[in-house]
Each structure stands twice: as C-alpha cells, then as structure tokens.
Amino acid sequence: KAKLLEQHFKLRFRVDNPNDSTLTVRGLSYSLYLGTLKLTEGEYDQWFSVGPNSFKVFVVPVRTNLWPQVRPLIKLLESPDQPVPYLLDG
C-alpha cells in the first residue's frame, strides 16, 4: 500500500535452527536500508518457536515515509539494469 506520506510493506524473515532443541524467539529489532537510506526500523514483539533442525518464515508488517528521501531513492532506481543494494540488520 502506498500513500503520499505513508507506505506499507511486509518483510519476510526466515529463522533457521540448526540445533537439536527448539529455539524460542522472543522478539526482533530490525533496520532496513536501501543503499545508504534507512527505509524503516522497528521491533517485532511476538514470540514464536522454531523446531529442531528446521526453519520458520514469519511476516512483519512495517510502514515508512519515503517522501523526505524521494530524490535519493529515485537516484538509486535510475538504472534498472543495476541491482539496488540493501541491508537488513536484525
């Protein structure tokens, strides 16, 4: 979803558990960057468990305001042949 001053995204995370016991995740703090622009940051505070030797995918709804960063964002997207570098810090 996108409005002028607010955009909504869904971030999909995958947590791998290579251990022989269940892993309990109590929360996640995250930051997402496109190039050097901070797209969003936040916290996910819902608990979940990942079984032994398995993985779990979960979705975090986020929202941001890209309006103050429109010019640098357009510059990142000028070359459709070039990948947009991103960093997810969690």
Side-chain angles (χ1 to χ4, degrees):
K1 267 182 169 175
K3 296 178 183 176
L4 182 61
L5 297 177
E6 184 178 68
Q7 298 79 39
H8 295 255
F9 297 94
K10 291 182 181 178
L11 296 179
R12 297 184 192 282
F13 290 91
R14 176 180 163 152
V15 176
D16 292 304
N17 181 10
N19 302 313
D20 293 332
S21 58
T22 300
L23 171 68
T24 301
V25 178
R26 295 186 207 159
L28 174 71
S29 296
Y30 60 87
S31 298
L32 178 63
Y33 296 85
L34 292 179
T36 59
L37 302 173
K38 184 183 278 188
L39 179 64
T40 190
E41 67 181 341
E43 293 183 4
Y44 182 75
D45 59 0
Q46 294 184 6
W47 290 35
F48 62 91
S49 295
V50 183
N53 300 307
S54 65
F55 68 90
K56 180 162 183 135
V57 176
F58 63 100
V59 178
V60 177
V62 298
R63 63 182 165 189
T64 188
N65 180 5
L66 296 175
W67 184 248
Q69 304 168 347
V70 165
R71 287 187 181 171
L73 186 59
I74 289 173
K75 202 166 202 167
L76 276 174
L77 302 174
E78 280 179 342
S79 303
D81 298 341
Q82 298 293 322
V84 177
Y86 70 93
L87 171 68
L88 177 61
D89 185 24

Coordinates of all heavy atoms in Angstrom, one line a residue:
K1 N 0.8 -1.2 0.0 CA 0.0 0.0 0.0 C 0.9 1.2 0.0 O 1.9 1.3 0.7 CB -0.8 0.0 1.3 CG -2.2 -0.6 1.2 CD -2.8 -0.4 2.6 CE -4.2 -0.7 2.6 NZ -4.7 -0.6 4.0
A2 N 0.5 2.2 -0.7 CA 1.3 3.5 -0.7 C 0.4 4.7 -0.8 O -0.6 4.8 -1.6 CB 2.2 3.5 -1.9
K3 N 0.6 5.6 0.1 CA 0.0 6.9 0.1 C 1.2 7.9 0.0 O 2.3 7.5 0.1 CB -0.8 7.2 1.4 CG -2.0 6.2 1.5 CD -2.7 6.5 2.8 CE -3.8 5.5 3.0 NZ -4.5 5.6 4.3
L4 N 0.8 9.2 -0.1 CA 1.9 10.2 -0.3 C 2.9 10.2 0.9 O 4.1 10.2 0.7 CB 1.3 11.6 -0.5 CG 2.3 12.7 -0.7 CD1 3.1 12.4 -2.0 CD2 1.6 14.0 -0.8
L5 N 2.4 10.1 2.1 CA 3.2 10.3 3.3 C 3.4 9.0 4.1 O 4.0 9.0 5.2 CB 2.7 11.4 4.2 CG 2.7 12.8 3.6 CD1 2.1 13.8 4.6 CD2 4.1 13.2 3.2
E6 N 2.8 7.9 3.6 CA 3.0 6.6 4.3 C 2.9 5.4 3.4 O 2.0 5.4 2.5 CB 1.8 6.5 5.4 CG 1.9 5.3 6.2 CD 0.8 5.3 7.3 OE1 -0.3 5.1 6.9 OE2 1.2 5.4 8.4
Q7 N 3.9 4.5 3.5 CA 3.9 3.3 2.7 C 4.0 2.1 3.6 O 4.6 2.1 4.6 CB 5.2 3.3 1.7 CG 5.2 4.5 0.8 CD 5.7 5.8 1.4 OE1 6.6 5.8 2.2 NE2 5.0 6.9 1.0
H8 N 3.2 1.1 3.2 CA 3.2 -0.2 4.0 C 3.9 -1.3 3.2 O 3.7 -1.4 2.0 CB 1.7 -0.6 4.2 CG 1.0 0.4 5.1 ND1 0.7 0.2 6.4 CD2 0.5 1.6 4.8 CE1 0.0 1.2 6.9 NE2 -0.1 2.1 5.9
F9 N 4.7 -2.0 3.9 CA 5.4 -3.2 3.3 C 5.3 -4.4 4.3 O 4.9 -4.2 5.4 CB 6.9 -2.9 3.2 CG 7.2 -1.7 2.3 CD1 7.4 -0.4 2.8 CD2 7.4 -1.9 1.0 CE1 7.7 0.6 2.0 CE2 7.7 -0.9 0.1 CZ 7.9 0.4 0.7
K10 N 5.6 -5.5 3.7 CA 5.6 -6.8 4.5 C 7.0 -7.3 4.3 O 7.4 -7.7 3.2 CB 4.6 -7.8 4.0 CG 3.2 -7.4 4.4 CD 2.2 -8.4 3.9 CE 0.8 -7.9 4.2 NZ -0.2 -8.9 3.8
L11 N 7.8 -7.4 5.4 CA 9.1 -8.0 5.4 C 9.0 -9.5 5.8 O 8.3 -9.8 6.8 CB 10.0 -7.3 6.4 CG 10.4 -5.9 6.2 CD1 11.2 -5.3 7.3 CD2 11.0 -5.7 4.8
R12 N 9.6 -10.3 5.0 CA 9.5 -11.8 5.3 C 10.9 -12.2 5.8 O 11.9 -11.9 5.2 CB 9.2 -12.6 4.1 CG 7.8 -12.3 3.5 CD 7.5 -13.1 2.3 NE 6.3 -12.6 1.7 CZ 5.1 -12.8 2.1 NH1 4.9 -13.5 3.3 NH2 4.0 -12.3 1.5
F13 N 10.9 -12.8 7.0 CA 12.1 -13.2 7.7 C 12.1 -14.7 7.7 O 11.1 -15.4 7.9 CB 12.2 -12.7 9.1 CG 12.4 -11.2 9.2 CD1 11.4 -10.3 9.3 CD2 13.7 -10.7 9.3 CE1 11.6 -9.0 9.4 CE2 14.0 -9.4 9.4 CZ 12.9 -8.5 9.5
R14 N 13.3 -15.3 7.6 CA 13.4 -16.8 7.8 C 14.4 -17.0 8.9 O 15.6 -16.5 8.9 CB 14.0 -17.4 6.5 CG 14.2 -18.9 6.7 CD 14.7 -19.5 5.4 NE 15.4 -20.8 5.7 CZ 15.4 -21.8 4.8 NH1 14.9 -21.7 3.6 NH2 16.0 -22.9 5.2
V15 N 14.0 -17.7 9.9 CA 14.9 -18.1 11.0 C 15.2 -19.6 10.9 O 14.3 -20.4 10.9 CB 14.2 -17.8 12.4 CG1 15.1 -18.2 13.5 CG2 13.9 -16.3 12.5
D16 N 16.5 -19.9 10.8 CA 17.0 -21.3 10.7 C 17.4 -21.7 12.1 O 18.1 -21.0 12.8 CB 18.2 -21.4 9.8 CG 17.7 -21.2 8.3 OD1 16.8 -21.9 7.9 OD2 18.3 -20.3 7.7
N17 N 17.1 -22.9 12.5 CA 17.5 -23.5 13.7 C 18.3 -24.8 13.4 O 17.6 -25.9 13.2 CB 16.3 -23.8 14.7 CG 16.7 -24.4 16.0 OD1 17.9 -24.4 16.3 ND2 15.8 -24.9 16.8
P18 N 19.6 -24.8 13.4 CA 20.4 -26.0 13.1 C 20.6 -26.9 14.4 O 21.3 -27.9 14.3 CB 21.7 -25.4 12.6 CG 21.8 -24.1 13.4 CD 20.4 -23.6 13.5
N19 N 20.0 -26.5 15.5 CA 20.2 -27.2 16.8 C 19.3 -28.4 16.9 O 18.3 -28.5 16.2 CB 20.1 -26.2 17.9 CG 21.0 -25.1 17.8 OD1 22.2 -25.2 17.6 ND2 20.5 -23.9 18.0
D20 N 19.6 -29.2 17.9 CA 18.8 -30.4 18.2 C 17.6 -30.1 19.2 O 16.9 -31.0 19.6 CB 19.6 -31.5 18.8 CG 20.6 -32.1 17.7 OD1 20.3 -32.0 16.5 OD2 21.7 -32.5 18.1
S21 N 17.5 -28.8 19.6 CA 16.4 -28.4 20.5 C 15.7 -27.3 20.0 O 16.2 -26.6 19.1 CB 17.0 -28.1 21.9 OG 18.0 -27.0 21.8
T22 N 14.5 -27.0 20.5 CA 13.6 -26.0 20.0 C 14.2 -24.6 20.3 O 14.8 -24.4 21.4 CB 12.2 -26.1 20.6 OG1 11.7 -27.3 20.2 CG2 11.3 -25.0 20.1
L23 N 14.1 -23.7 19.4 CA 14.6 -22.3 19.6 C 13.4 -21.4 19.8 O 12.5 -21.4 18.9 CB 15.4 -21.9 18.3 CG 15.8 -20.4 18.3 CD1 16.8 -20.1 19.3 CD2 16.3 -20.0 16.9
T24 N 13.3 -20.7 20.9 CA 12.3 -19.7 21.1 C 12.8 -18.3 20.8 O 13.8 -17.9 21.3 CB 11.8 -19.8 22.6 OG1 11.3 -21.1 22.8 CG2 10.7 -18.8 22.8
V25 N 12.0 -17.6 20.0 CA 12.4 -16.2 19.6 C 11.4 -15.3 20.3 O 10.2 -15.5 20.2 CB 12.3 -16.0 18.1 CG1 12.6 -14.6 17.7 CG2 13.2 -17.0 17.3
R26 N 11.9 -14.4 21.1 CA 11.1 -13.6 21.9 C 10.8 -12.2 21.3 O 10.1 -11.4 21.8 CB 11.7 -13.4 23.3 CG 11.8 -14.6 24.1 CD 12.3 -14.3 25.5 NE 12.9 -15.5 26.0 CZ 13.8 -15.5 26.9 NH1 14.2 -14.4 27.5 NH2 14.4 -16.6 27.4
G27 N 11.5 -11.9 20.2 CA 11.3 -10.6 19.6 C 12.5 -10.3 18.6 O 13.4 -11.1 18.6
L28 N 12.3 -9.3 17.9 CA 13.3 -8.9 16.9 C 13.3 -7.4 16.7 O 12.3 -6.8 16.6 CB 12.9 -9.6 15.5 CG 13.8 -9.2 14.3 CD1 15.2 -9.8 14.5 CD2 13.1 -9.6 13.1
S29 N 14.5 -6.8 16.8 CA 14.7 -5.4 16.4 C 15.3 -5.4 15.0 O 16.2 -6.2 14.8 CB 15.6 -4.7 17.4 OG 15.0 -4.7 18.7
Y30 N 14.9 -4.5 14.1 CA 15.4 -4.6 12.8 C 15.5 -3.1 12.2 O 14.9 -2.2 12.7 CB 14.5 -5.4 11.9 CG 13.0 -4.8 11.8 CD1 12.7 -3.9 10.9 CD2 12.1 -5.3 12.7 CE1 11.4 -3.3 10.9 CE2 10.8 -4.8 12.7 CZ 10.5 -3.8 11.8 OH 9.2 -3.3 11.7
S31 N 16.4 -3.0 11.2 CA 16.6 -1.8 10.4 C 16.7 -2.3 9.0 O 17.5 -3.3 8.7 CB 17.8 -1.0 10.8 OG 17.7 -0.6 12.2
L32 N 16.1 -1.6 8.0 CA 16.2 -1.9 6.6 C 16.7 -0.7 5.9 O 16.2 0.4 6.0 CB 14.9 -2.4 6.1 CG 14.8 -2.7 4.6 CD1 15.7 -3.9 4.3 CD2 13.4 -3.0 4.2
Y33 N 17.8 -0.9 5.1 CA 18.4 0.2 4.3 C 18.4 -0.2 2.9 O 18.6 -1.3 2.5 CB 19.9 0.3 4.7 CG 20.1 0.8 6.1 CD1 20.2 -0.1 7.2 CD2 20.3 2.1 6.4 CE1 20.4 0.3 8.5 CE2 20.6 2.5 7.7 CZ 20.6 1.6 8.8 OH 20.8 2.0 10.0
L34 N 18.1 0.8 2.0 CA 18.3 0.7 0.6 C 19.5 1.6 0.3 O 19.4 2.9 0.4 CB 17.1 1.2 -0.2 CG 15.8 0.4 -0.1 CD1 14.7 1.0 -0.8 CD2 16.1 -1.0 -0.6
G35 N 20.6 1.0 -0.1 CA 21.8 1.8 -0.3 C 22.2 2.4 1.1 O 22.2 1.6 2.1
T36 N 22.3 3.7 1.2 CA 22.6 4.3 2.5 C 21.3 4.9 3.1 O 21.4 5.5 4.2 CB 23.6 5.4 2.3 OG1 23.1 6.4 1.4 CG2 24.9 4.9 1.8
L37 N 20.2 4.8 2.5 CA 18.9 5.3 3.0 C 18.3 4.4 4.0 O 18.1 3.2 3.6 CB 17.9 5.6 1.9 CG 18.4 6.6 0.8 CD1 17.3 6.6 -0.3 CD2 18.6 7.9 1.3
K38 N 17.9 4.8 5.1 CA 17.2 4.0 6.1 C 15.7 4.0 5.7 O 15.1 5.0 5.8 CB 17.4 4.4 7.5 CG 16.7 3.5 8.5 CD 16.8 4.0 9.9 CE 18.1 3.6 10.5 NZ 18.2 3.9 12.0
L39 N 15.3 2.8 5.2 CA 13.9 2.7 4.8 C 13.0 2.6 6.0 O 11.9 3.3 6.0 CB 13.7 1.5 3.9 CG 12.4 1.2 3.3 CD1 11.9 2.3 2.4 CD2 12.3 -0.2 2.6
T40 N 13.3 1.8 6.9 CA 12.5 1.6 8.1 C 13.2 0.9 9.2 O 14.3 0.4 9.0 CB 11.2 0.8 7.8 OG1 10.3 0.8 8.9 CG2 11.5 -0.7 7.5
E41 N 12.7 1.0 10.4 CA 13.3 0.3 11.6 C 12.1 0.1 12.5 O 11.1 0.8 12.5 CB 14.4 1.1 12.3 CG 13.9 2.4 12.9 CD 15.1 3.1 13.6 OE1 16.1 2.5 13.8 OE2 14.9 4.3 13.8
G42 N 12.3 -0.9 13.4 CA 11.2 -1.2 14.3 C 11.5 -2.4 15.2 O 12.6 -3.0 15.1
E43 N 10.5 -2.9 15.9 CA 10.6 -4.1 16.7 C 9.4 -5.0 16.4 O 8.3 -4.5 16.2 CB 10.6 -3.7 18.2 CG 11.9 -2.9 18.5 CD 12.0 -2.6 20.0 OE1 11.1 -3.0 20.8 OE2 13.0 -1.9 20.4
Y44 N 9.6 -6.2 16.5 CA 8.6 -7.3 16.4 C 8.6 -8.0 17.7 O 9.6 -8.6 18.1 CB 8.9 -8.2 15.2 CG 7.9 -9.3 14.9 CD1 6.7 -8.9 14.3 CD2 8.1 -10.6 15.3 CE1 5.7 -9.9 14.1 CE2 7.2 -11.6 15.0 CZ 6.0 -11.2 14.4 OH 5.1 -12.2 14.1
D45 N 7.5 -7.9 18.5 CA 7.5 -8.4 19.8 C 6.7 -9.7 20.0 O 6.4 -10.1 21.2 CB 7.1 -7.4 20.8 CG 5.7 -6.8 20.5 OD1 5.0 -7.3 19.6 OD2 5.2 -6.0 21.3
Q46 N 6.3 -10.4 19.0 CA 5.5 -11.6 19.1 C 6.5 -12.8 19.3 O 7.4 -12.9 18.5 CB 4.6 -11.8 17.9 CG 3.5 -10.8 17.9 CD 2.5 -11.1 16.8 OE1 2.6 -12.1 16.1 NE2 1.6 -10.1 16.6
W47 N 6.2 -13.7 20.2 CA 7.0 -14.8 20.4 C 6.6 -15.9 19.5 O 5.5 -16.1 19.1 CB 6.8 -15.4 21.8 CG 7.4 -14.5 22.9 CD1 7.4 -13.1 23.0 CD2 7.9 -15.0 24.2 NE1 8.0 -12.7 24.2 CE2 8.3 -13.8 24.9 CE3 8.1 -16.2 24.7 CZ2 8.8 -13.9 26.2 CZ3 8.7 -16.3 26.0 CH2 9.0 -15.2 26.7
F48 N 7.6 -16.7 19.1 CA 7.4 -17.9 18.3 C 8.5 -18.9 18.5 O 9.6 -18.6 19.0 CB 7.2 -17.6 16.8 CG 8.3 -17.0 16.1 CD1 9.3 -17.8 15.5 CD2 8.5 -15.7 16.1 CE1 10.4 -17.3 14.8 CE2 9.6 -15.1 15.4 CZ 10.5 -15.9 14.8
S49 N 8.3 -20.2 18.1 CA 9.3 -21.2 18.3 C 9.6 -21.8 17.0 O 8.8 -21.9 16.1 CB 8.8 -22.3 19.2 OG 8.6 -21.8 20.5
V50 N 10.9 -22.2 16.8 CA 11.4 -22.9 15.7 C 11.8 -24.3 16.1 O 12.7 -24.4 17.0 CB 12.5 -22.1 15.0 CG1 13.0 -22.8 13.7 CG2 12.1 -20.7 14.7
G51 N 11.3 -25.3 15.5 CA 11.6 -26.7 15.9 C 13.0 -27.0 15.6 O 13.7 -26.3 14.9
P52 N 13.5 -28.2 16.2 CA 14.9 -28.6 16.0 C 15.1 -28.9 14.5 O 14.3 -29.5 13.8 CB 15.0 -29.9 16.8 CG 13.8 -29.9 17.7 CD 12.7 -29.0 17.1
N53 N 16.3 -28.5 14.0 CA 16.8 -28.7 12.7 C 15.7 -28.3 11.6 O 15.5 -29.1 10.7 CB 17.1 -30.2 12.5 CG 18.2 -30.6 13.4 OD1 19.3 -30.0 13.5 ND2 18.0 -31.6 14.3
S54 N 15.1 -27.2 11.8 CA 14.1 -26.7 10.8 C 14.2 -25.2 10.7 O 15.1 -24.6 11.3 CB 12.7 -27.1 11.3 OG 12.4 -26.5 12.5
F55 N 13.2 -24.6 10.1 CA 13.2 -23.1 9.9 C 11.8 -22.7 10.0 O 10.8 -23.5 9.9 CB 13.8 -22.7 8.6 CG 13.0 -23.1 7.4 CD1 12.1 -22.3 6.8 CD2 13.3 -24.3 6.8 CE1 11.4 -22.7 5.7 CE2 12.6 -24.7 5.6 CZ 11.6 -23.9 5.1
K56 N 11.6 -21.4 10.2 CA 10.3 -20.8 10.2 C 10.3 -19.5 9.5 O 11.3 -18.7 9.7 CB 9.8 -20.6 11.7 CG 8.4 -19.9 11.7 CD 7.8 -20.2 13.1 CE 6.4 -19.6 13.0 NZ 5.4 -20.4 13.6
V57 N 9.4 -19.2 8.7 CA 9.2 -17.9 8.0 C 8.1 -17.1 8.6 O 7.0 -17.7 8.9 CB 8.9 -18.1 6.5 CG1 8.7 -16.8 5.8 CG2 10.0 -18.9 5.8
F58 N 8.4 -15.9 9.0 CA 7.3 -15.0 9.5 C 7.3 -13.7 8.8 O 8.3 -13.3 8.2 CB 7.5 -14.9 11.1 CG 8.7 -14.2 11.5 CD1 8.7 -12.9 11.9 CD2 9.9 -14.9 11.6 CE1 9.9 -12.3 12.3 CE2 11.1 -14.3 12.0 CZ 11.0 -13.0 12.4
V59 N 6.2 -13.0 8.9 CA 6.0 -11.8 8.2 C 5.8 -10.6 9.2 O 5.1 -10.8 10.2 CB 4.7 -11.8 7.3 CG1 4.5 -10.5 6.6 CG2 4.9 -12.9 6.3
V60 N 6.6 -9.5 9.0 CA 6.5 -8.4 9.8 C 5.9 -7.2 9.0 O 6.5 -6.8 8.0 CB 7.9 -8.0 10.4 CG1 7.8 -6.7 11.2 CG2 8.5 -9.1 11.2
P61 N 4.7 -6.7 9.4 CA 4.2 -5.5 8.7 C 4.9 -4.3 9.1 O 5.1 -4.1 10.3 CB 2.7 -5.5 9.1 CG 2.7 -6.2 10.3 CD 3.8 -7.2 10.4
V62 N 5.4 -3.5 8.2 CA 6.1 -2.2 8.5 C 5.5 -1.1 7.7 O 4.8 -1.3 6.7 CB 7.6 -2.3 8.2 CG1 8.3 -3.4 9.0 CG2 7.9 -2.5 6.7
R63 N 5.7 0.1 8.2 CA 5.3 1.3 7.4 C 6.4 2.3 7.5 O 7.2 2.3 8.5 CB 4.0 1.8 7.9 CG 4.0 2.3 9.3 CD 2.7 2.8 9.7 NE 2.7 2.9 11.2 CZ 1.6 3.1 11.9 NH1 0.5 3.2 11.3 NH2 1.7 3.2 13.2
T64 N 6.5 3.2 6.5 CA 7.5 4.2 6.5 C 7.0 5.4 5.7 O 6.0 5.4 5.1 CB 8.8 3.6 5.8 OG1 9.9 4.5 5.9 CG2 8.6 3.3 4.3
N65 N 7.8 6.4 5.7 CA 7.5 7.6 4.9 C 8.7 7.9 4.0 O 9.8 8.3 4.5 CB 7.3 8.8 5.8 CG 6.9 10.1 5.1 OD1 6.9 10.1 3.8 ND2 6.8 11.2 5.8
L66 N 8.6 7.6 2.8 CA 9.7 7.8 1.8 C 9.8 9.3 1.3 O 10.7 9.6 0.6 CB 9.6 6.8 0.7 CG 9.7 5.4 1.1 CD1 9.5 4.5 -0.2 CD2 11.1 5.1 1.6
W67 N 8.8 10.1 1.6 CA 8.7 11.4 1.0 C 10.0 12.2 1.2 O 10.5 12.8 0.2 CB 7.5 12.1 1.5 CG 7.3 13.5 0.8 CD1 7.4 14.7 1.4 CD2 7.0 13.7 -0.6 NE1 7.2 15.7 0.5 CE2 7.0 15.1 -0.8 CE3 6.8 12.9 -1.7 CZ2 6.7 15.7 -2.0 CZ3 6.5 13.5 -2.9 CH2 6.5 14.9 -3.0
P68 N 10.5 12.3 2.4 CA 11.7 13.1 2.6 C 12.9 12.6 1.8 O 13.9 13.3 1.6 CB 12.0 13.0 4.1 CG 10.7 12.6 4.7 CD 10.0 11.8 3.7
Q69 N 12.9 11.3 1.4 CA 14.0 10.7 0.7 C 13.8 10.4 -0.8 O 14.4 9.6 -1.4 CB 14.4 9.4 1.4 CG 14.7 9.6 2.9 CD 14.7 8.3 3.6 OE1 14.4 7.2 3.1 NE2 15.3 8.3 4.8
V70 N 12.8 11.1 -1.4 CA 12.4 10.8 -2.7 C 13.5 11.0 -3.7 O 13.8 10.1 -4.5 CB 11.2 11.6 -3.2 CG1 11.0 11.6 -4.6 CG2 9.9 11.1 -2.5
R71 N 14.2 12.1 -3.6 CA 15.3 12.3 -4.6 C 16.4 11.3 -4.6 O 16.8 10.7 -5.6 CB 15.9 13.7 -4.4 CG 14.9 14.8 -4.9 CD 15.5 16.1 -4.9 NE 14.5 17.1 -5.4 CZ 14.6 18.3 -5.4 NH1 15.7 18.9 -4.9 NH2 13.7 19.1 -5.8
P72 N 17.0 10.9 -3.4 CA 18.0 9.9 -3.3 C 17.4 8.5 -3.8 O 18.2 7.7 -4.4 CB 18.5 9.9 -1.9 CG 18.0 11.1 -1.3 CD 16.8 11.6 -2.1
L73 N 16.2 8.3 -3.4 CA 15.6 7.0 -3.8 C 15.4 6.9 -5.3 O 15.7 5.9 -5.9 CB 14.2 6.8 -3.2 CG 13.5 5.5 -3.3 CD1 14.4 4.4 -2.8 CD2 12.2 5.5 -2.7
I74 N 15.0 8.0 -6.0 CA 14.9 8.0 -7.4 C 16.3 7.8 -8.1 O 16.4 7.1 -9.1 CB 14.3 9.3 -7.9 CG1 12.8 9.3 -7.6 CG2 14.5 9.5 -9.4 CD1 12.1 10.6 -7.8
K75 N 17.3 8.4 -7.5 CA 18.7 8.2 -8.0 C 19.1 6.7 -7.9 O 19.8 6.2 -8.8 CB 19.6 9.0 -7.2 CG 20.9 9.4 -7.9 CD 21.6 10.5 -7.2 CE 22.5 11.1 -8.2 NZ 23.1 12.3 -7.8
L76 N 18.7 6.0 -6.8 CA 19.0 4.6 -6.7 C 18.3 3.8 -7.8 O 18.8 2.7 -8.2 CB 18.5 4.0 -5.4 CG 19.5 4.2 -4.2 CD1 18.8 3.7 -2.9 CD2 20.7 3.5 -4.4
L77 N 17.1 4.2 -8.2 CA 16.3 3.4 -9.2 C 16.5 3.9 -10.6 O 15.9 3.3 -11.5 CB 14.8 3.6 -8.8 CG 14.5 3.1 -7.4 CD1 13.0 3.4 -7.1 CD2 14.8 1.6 -7.2
E78 N 17.4 4.8 -10.9 CA 17.6 5.3 -12.2 C 18.1 4.3 -13.2 O 17.8 4.3 -14.4 CB 18.6 6.5 -12.2 CG 18.0 7.8 -11.8 CD 19.1 8.9 -11.8 OE1 20.3 8.6 -11.8 OE2 18.7 10.1 -11.8
S79 N 18.9 3.4 -12.8 CA 19.5 2.3 -13.6 C 18.8 1.0 -13.4 O 19.2 0.3 -12.5 CB 21.0 2.2 -13.4 OG 21.7 3.4 -13.6
P80 N 17.8 0.7 -14.2 CA 17.0 -0.6 -13.9 C 17.9 -1.8 -14.1 O 17.5 -2.9 -13.6 CB 15.9 -0.5 -14.9 CG 16.3 0.4 -16.0 CD 17.3 1.4 -15.3
D81 N 19.0 -1.7 -14.8 CA 19.9 -2.9 -15.0 C 20.8 -3.2 -13.8 O 21.3 -4.2 -13.7 CB 20.8 -2.7 -16.2 CG 20.0 -2.5 -17.5 OD1 18.8 -2.9 -17.5 OD2 20.5 -2.0 -18.5
Q82 N 20.9 -2.2 -12.9 CA 21.7 -2.3 -11.7 C 20.9 -2.8 -10.5 O 19.8 -2.2 -10.3 CB 22.4 -1.0 -11.4 CG 23.4 -0.5 -12.5 CD 24.6 -1.4 -12.6 OE1 25.1 -1.9 -11.7 NE2 25.0 -1.7 -13.9
P83 N 21.4 -3.7 -9.8 CA 20.6 -4.1 -8.5 C 20.7 -3.0 -7.5 O 21.7 -2.2 -7.4 CB 21.3 -5.4 -8.1 CG 22.7 -5.3 -8.7 CD 22.6 -4.5 -10.0
V84 N 19.6 -2.9 -6.7 CA 19.6 -1.9 -5.6 C 20.2 -2.6 -4.4 O 19.7 -3.6 -3.9 CB 18.2 -1.4 -5.3 CG1 18.2 -0.4 -4.2 CG2 17.6 -0.7 -6.6
P85 N 21.3 -2.0 -3.9 CA 21.9 -2.7 -2.7 C 21.0 -2.4 -1.5 O 20.4 -1.4 -1.3 CB 23.2 -1.9 -2.5 CG 23.1 -0.6 -3.2 CD 22.1 -0.9 -4.3
Y86 N 20.9 -3.4 -0.7 CA 20.1 -3.3 0.6 C 20.8 -4.0 1.7 O 21.6 -4.9 1.5 CB 18.7 -3.8 0.4 CG 18.6 -5.3 0.3 CD1 18.3 -6.1 1.4 CD2 18.7 -6.0 -0.9 CE1 18.3 -7.5 1.3 CE2 18.7 -7.3 -1.1 CZ 18.4 -8.1 0.1 OH 18.4 -9.5 0.0
L87 N 20.4 -3.6 2.9 CA 21.0 -4.2 4.1 C 19.8 -4.4 5.1 O 19.1 -3.4 5.4 CB 22.0 -3.3 4.7 CG 22.5 -3.7 6.1 CD1 23.3 -5.0 6.1 CD2 23.4 -2.6 6.7
L88 N 19.7 -5.6 5.6 CA 18.7 -5.8 6.7 C 19.5 -6.2 7.9 O 20.2 -7.2 7.9 CB 17.8 -7.0 6.3 CG 16.8 -7.4 7.3 CD1 15.8 -6.3 7.7 CD2 16.0 -8.6 6.8
D89 N 19.4 -5.4 8.9 CA 20.1 -5.6 10.2 C 19.0 -6.0 11.2 O 18.1 -5.2 11.5 CB 20.8 -4.3 10.6 CG 21.6 -4.4 11.8 OD1 22.1 -5.6 12.1 OD2 21.9 -3.4 12.5
G90 N 19.2 -7.2 11.8 CA 18.2 -7.6 12.8 C 18.8 -8.3 14.0 O 20.0 -8.6 14.0

